[in-house]
Amino acid sequence: MSVPSVTTTPRLRLRVTAAAEASVRGGHPWVFGDSVREQNREGTLGELAVIYDRRDRFLAIGLYDPSSPLRVRVLHVGQPVALDATWWRERLAVALARRQGMFDAQTTGFRLVNGESDGWPGLVLDRYGSVGVLKLYTGAWLPRLPHLVPLIPASTGLEAVVLRLSRNIQAVARADFGLQDGQVISGSDVANPVEFLESGLRFEADVVRGQKTGFFLDQRENRRRVGDLAAGRRVLNAFSFSGGFSLYAARGRAISVTDLDISPHALAAARRNFALNHTTPSVARCQHETVQADAFDWLAAQRRPAYDLVVLDPPSLARREAEREGALRAYGRLARDGIRVLRQGGRLVAASCSAHVSAEEFFAAVRRAGRESGRRFSEMATTRHPPDHPATFPEAQYLKAIFLVFEP
Ligand code: SAH
């Protein structure tokens, strides 16, 4: 009688450079391909890779991606653990517990899981009311979805989950996993756009096709500040997207709000968001207009100081390190042109979401534009990440904003 032979693939094991070892030990979640010194075999997309240290002891375990320069995304460092169903459930529970009590019933849209900084490298989970949006930035999660997705409704109460995929993984998702960007992967069908509340304001998010997961949830705290500054002011919201800052300004009794964006879809969404809030008297009273234009050109062409509050929130201007210098110059020019359209006593709110530009150099560029305007101003505040978007390592820190007040 022949005994069936069982072939088991050995665990994927890696050894990395001393520098990478120190960085992982220090909590950095990325191991780059060029710091892998040795591995026992080729690895496949999304399998678990164990990193051993110089003395051959377990150092860390993470998700392997053979085609990305970011070869391993670390899930756990320290003592060996089994990443079983309980471990994953617990990991999700920790991220959810972190948000406990952060928001009241007036805010039903917020981030539940913020990638690496919540222990879920390359994965984001946002909530819009009862709809979740799971966004993947690495294909390494694709083979794990059948096990992970069922955990989501069970732990969060979400009734449906939409899958969003970063552009670079859409082809592999379709070809090897039969998954499409925007498809519902859990629960009932989703009526898109999805309505939710932020600080009591009603917004819609296009969770199927919109940028990021459909809304820029990361600007909530800055929007609240803008709402507090807006009374009696004429507001320009440059790079407005769907009018997030504008609705807060309108509710905060701004006289008028101008949404400026290059995208007609964004401006149409902004008009719908205003309509959703027309029962709020101050929103109904506020004059709302939309301007579709390149904000850099439009601002540079303005001749009159016509606004009392200007918000500048451009998309990332430095997608790679090589674009850092150019981005800083562009932030400086934007701030200069934003200040030029400010009337006496106006306020400037300038934000940056470029991870390659540090908060300090961004603030310095805006302050310089302030000084070079020859007008007297003071600095009201600088802000960083909101609490539902924690950033635990330098590359994760992309968001910063500065608030300047010009003297009458
Ligand atoms: N402040 C927004 C988010 C801005 S996202 C919020 O609170 O929701 C960046 C926006 O800039 C997008 O809507 C995009 O369409 C727009 N955009 C990109 N390039 C632009 C340009 N050159 N001129 C005007 N808008 C631009």
Side-chain angles (χ1 to χ4, degrees):
M1 200 177 88
S2 69
V3 177
S5 71
V6 178
T7 51
T8 51
T9 321
R11 229 311 165 242
L12 179 60
R13 301 153 145 265
L14 308 183
R15 285 193 181 71
V16 299
T17 60
E21 195 177 310
S23 138
V24 168
R25 215 183 282 287
H28 199 286
W30 295 341
V31 175
F32 289 93
D34 54 15
S35 42
V36 175
R37 281 196 297 116
E38 218 185 290
Q39 69 189 73
N40 60 332
R41 60 175 173 79
E42 303 266 290
T44 58
L45 180 64
E47 80 170 297
L48 293 173
V50 178
I51 301 171
Y52 287 87
D53 72 7
R54 246 163 307 182
R55 287 150 71 188
D56 236 10
R57 288 171 316 191
F58 176 100
L59 171 64
I61 185 165
L63 294 174
Y64 189 79
D65 185 343
S67 60
S68 167
L70 236 159
R71 196 58 41 84
V72 180
R73 296 176 197 247
V74 175
L75 290 164
H76 167 82
V77 193
Q79 298 303 310
V81 280
L83 305 196
D84 53 16
T86 310
W87 187 89
W88 287 105
R89 200 175 306 116
E90 182 56 26
R91 165 102 0 162
L92 182 56
V94 170
L96 300 176
R98 209 164 273 155
R99 275 87 181 162
Q100 204 78 59
M102 230 177 237
F103 305 103
D104 62 18
Q106 296 305 303
T107 297
T108 62
F110 54 91
R111 182 149 295 186
L112 293 173
V113 176
N114 191 39
E116 279 79 350
S117 300
D118 272 312
W120 292 83
L123 179 154
V124 153
L125 178 63
D126 285 344
R127 138 169 261 151
Y128 295 99
S130 60
V131 176
V133 183
L134 180 68
K135 177 134 188 190
L136 305 183
Y137 292 89
T138 166
W141 289 107
L142 294 167
R144 301 195 167 267
L145 288 182
H147 299 288
L148 288 179
V149 172
L151 297 180
I152 299 175
S155 335
T156 59
L158 288 168
E159 286 164 18
V161 179
V162 174
L163 178 68
R164 297 299 308 272
L165 304 166
S166 68
R167 192 154 304 155
N168 58 320
I169 66 168
Q170 290 178 5
V172 68
R174 188 171 313 121
D176 296 357
F177 300 90
L179 292 168
Q180 302 246 17
D181 181 44
Q183 95 179 58
V184 177
I185 47 167
S186 166
S188 48
D189 269 358
V190 170
N192 191 53
V194 176
E195 225 189 282
F196 66 99
L197 288 174
E198 191 184 85
S199 315
L201 286 162
R202 292 168 68 187
F203 286 105
E204 61 166 50
D206 178 351
V207 298
V208 174
R209 279 168 300 267
Q211 297 182 51
K212 289 208 174 182
T213 62
F215 198 74
F216 291 84
L217 294 169
D218 52 0
Q219 288 287 17
R220 175 195 321 109
E221 274 68 16
N222 290 328
R223 289 186 196 117
R224 287 184 180 157
R225 283 178 184 265
V226 163
D228 292 340
L229 295 174
R233 293 179 182 272
R234 278 152 284 214
V235 179
L236 172 66
N237 182 11
F239 308 93
S240 63
F241 189 56
S242 59
F245 280 100
S246 307
L247 262 308
Y248 282 73
R251 185 175 58 182
R253 290 178 288 111
I255 297 172
S256 67
V257 178
T258 302
D259 276 328
L260 170 61
D261 202 285
I262 203 162
S263 154
H265 301 289
L267 295 172
R271 286 190 289 270
R272 286 195 298 274
N273 284 330
F274 265 83
L276 280 178
N277 292 279
H278 71 277
T279 49
T280 302
S282 50
V283 174
R285 270 197 306 272
C286 179
Q287 245 181 63
H288 180 224
E289 85 173 334
T290 57
V291 176
Q292 193 218 327
D294 179 295
F296 296 93
D297 296 347
W298 190 88
L299 272 171
Q302 297 308 300
R303 292 285 160 263
R304 284 185 318 114
Y307 302 98
D308 314 291
L309 173 58
V310 170
V311 179
L312 305 170
D313 182 25
S316 175
L317 299 180
R319 304 247 170 225
R320 357 165 210 288
E321 182 55 30
E323 294 172 352
R324 199 178 120 261
E325 296 279 334
L328 274 168
R329 281 193 298 275
Y331 284 125
R333 275 197 309 276
L334 259 184
R336 179 197 67 196
D337 292 344
I339 294 166
R340 264 194 326 105
V341 300
L342 272 183
R343 300 154 68 104
Q344 300 294 322
R347 276 125 205 242
L348 180 79
V349 181
S352 159
C353 61
S354 308
H356 292 288
V357 170
S358 75
E360 280 318 319
E361 52 193 2
F362 172 68
F363 297 154
V366 178
R367 288 176 189 131
R368 188 174 321 114
R371 285 194 305 276
E372 287 174 2
S373 74
R375 293 162 67 173
R376 289 162 62 89
F377 68 97
S378 58
E379 198 168 307
M380 195 163 51
T382 56
T383 65
R384 309 288 177 98
H385 277 238
D388 57 332
H389 289 64
T392 57
F393 62 108
E395 292 87 338
Q397 289 158 14
Y398 65 94
L399 192 66
K400 51 268 179 194
I402 181 166
F403 293 64
L404 301 184
V405 180
F406 288 82
E407 288 183 10

